[in-house]
Amino acid sequence: MEGLQRCFVLHYRHYSETSLILDVFSEDYGRLTLLAKGARRKRSNLKGTLQPFTPLFMKWSGKGSMPVLTHAEPISIGLPLRSYILYSAMYVNEVLARVLENHTPYPVLFLDYLNVLRELAQADNPEPALRRFELALLHHLGYGIDFLHCAGSGLAVDDRMTYNYREQRGFIASMKITQLTFRGDELKAIAARCFETPEQLRAAKRFTRMALKPYLGSKPLKSRELFLPRTRSIRK
């Protein structure tokens, strides 16, 4: 590659005694795996730099499955993510690492990722930001669905009507209530990515869980396990 590239480290793991393998999301090259040689040495100028949620300028060389990192410098300090907000950001990183193919550019998704980190850093409740990002991710993955019209009749959805989700078809008006049922106002909120009620926010989460499942596969997300102690304490 030529020039510096805006990047974030999604995840890293130790390699040999002194190196790291980095899972990176870059603005123009998408997701890729880099080898950071000697990054764990005490005197390495990379030590402490290659952290998730820190905007970086990076450069690498090599065209194989694992190019070698040749330069990395922070663009700014890492975003202030703490407690369960940090867990939410870790969830975003894990989802990206799971669903994005290597070396497929997603420049607009990169901006969506930057935006969700900024939103999370300022949020008391991470849920709206997470739902907006998941919907953006589905869009970039090519998941197209009409939230505003009944797939059976073509009529605009009605706030007071209920609609059942049919995979690869969309939402069809139905009086039968199941886990796949959404109210018209919930579908409009999902389409607008604007959630005014807790019910609309819960409906958006229910939908994104269903829609992302084929991309994520059956293996559980490790980041979701971090929320369990907090969930139990809330229930108590």
Side-chain angles (χ1 to χ4, degrees):
M1 65 165 296
E2 296 182 1
L4 297 173
Q5 180 75 195
R6 290 204 298 176
C7 299
F8 283 90
V9 173
L10 298 177
H11 179 262
Y12 65 83
R13 62 186 184 274
H14 291 178
Y15 180 76
S16 72
E17 294 184 359
T18 61
S19 301
L20 293 172
I21 294 177
L22 309 174
D23 203 353
V24 172
F25 186 32
S26 66
E27 185 169 16
D28 294 331
Y29 294 83
R31 177 175 167 254
L32 64 157
T33 303
L34 300 178
L35 175 61
K37 290 184 176 180
R40 295 167 55 209
R41 291 195 181 109
K42 291 183 180 180
R43 296 184 179 180
S44 172
N45 58 3
L46 295 175
K47 195 171 182 65
T49 298
L50 304 173
Q51 299 295 322
F53 317 121
T54 298
L56 300 168
F57 279 131
M58 303 181 80
K59 190 173 183 178
W60 55 87
S61 64
K63 297 182 179 180
S65 60
M66 193 186 302
V68 176
L69 180 70
T70 58
H71 178 83
E73 62 179 270
I75 300 173
S76 64
I77 62 173
L79 293 166
L81 303 166
R82 296 180 178 86
S83 186
Y84 64 93
I85 299 295
L86 175 60
Y87 301 160
S88 297
M90 292 170 67
Y91 163 77
V92 170
N93 277 12
E94 188 175 6
V95 168
L96 284 179
R98 185 81 69 89
V99 306
L100 297 185
E101 294 183 359
N102 273 6
H103 305 288
T104 301
Y106 291 99
V108 179
L109 179 60
F110 183 88
L111 298 180
D112 289 325
Y113 175 72
L114 182 58
N115 286 336
V116 74
L117 293 185
R118 287 171 174 166
E119 284 190 64
L120 289 173
Q122 300 171 9
D124 293 322
N125 179 8
E127 294 292 319
L130 292 178
R131 302 295 82 80
R132 283 190 285 269
F133 180 77
E134 289 169 337
L135 290 166
L137 176 59
L138 286 165
H139 170 75
H140 293 298
L141 291 173
Y143 189 96
I145 194 166
D146 187 351
F147 296 99
L148 299 179
H149 296 87
C150 173
S153 66
L155 296 175
V157 299
D158 186 298
D159 287 0
R160 296 165 295 179
M161 286 286 292
T162 54
Y163 300 82
N164 282 350
Y165 174 65
R166 303 282 183 85
E167 190 173 354
Q168 298 182 344
R169 289 193 62 188
F171 296 91
I172 298 178
S174 174
M175 298 297 291
K176 185 178 180 180
I177 305 300
T178 71
Q179 187 64 17
L180 302 179
T181 302
F182 297 81
R183 294 196 314 269
D185 70 293
E186 294 171 342
L187 296 180
K188 290 179 180 179
I190 294 171
R193 301 180 189 176
C194 180
F195 312 107
E196 297 179 350
T197 68
E199 291 77 13
Q200 291 174 352
L201 194 55
R202 286 194 292 268
K205 185 173 186 176
R206 187 157 45 93
F207 172 76
T208 56
R209 284 278 178 100
M210 290 190 301
L212 282 171
K213 188 174 181 179
Y215 297 96
L216 293 171
S218 58
K219 186 179 179 181
L221 290 170
K222 293 181 180 179
S223 54
R224 282 181 179 162
E225 298 174 1
L226 299 173
F227 291 93
L228 294 179
R230 182 173 182 266
T231 302
R232 293 192 188 106
S233 66
I234 291 173
R235 288 176 181 172
K236 290 178 182 178

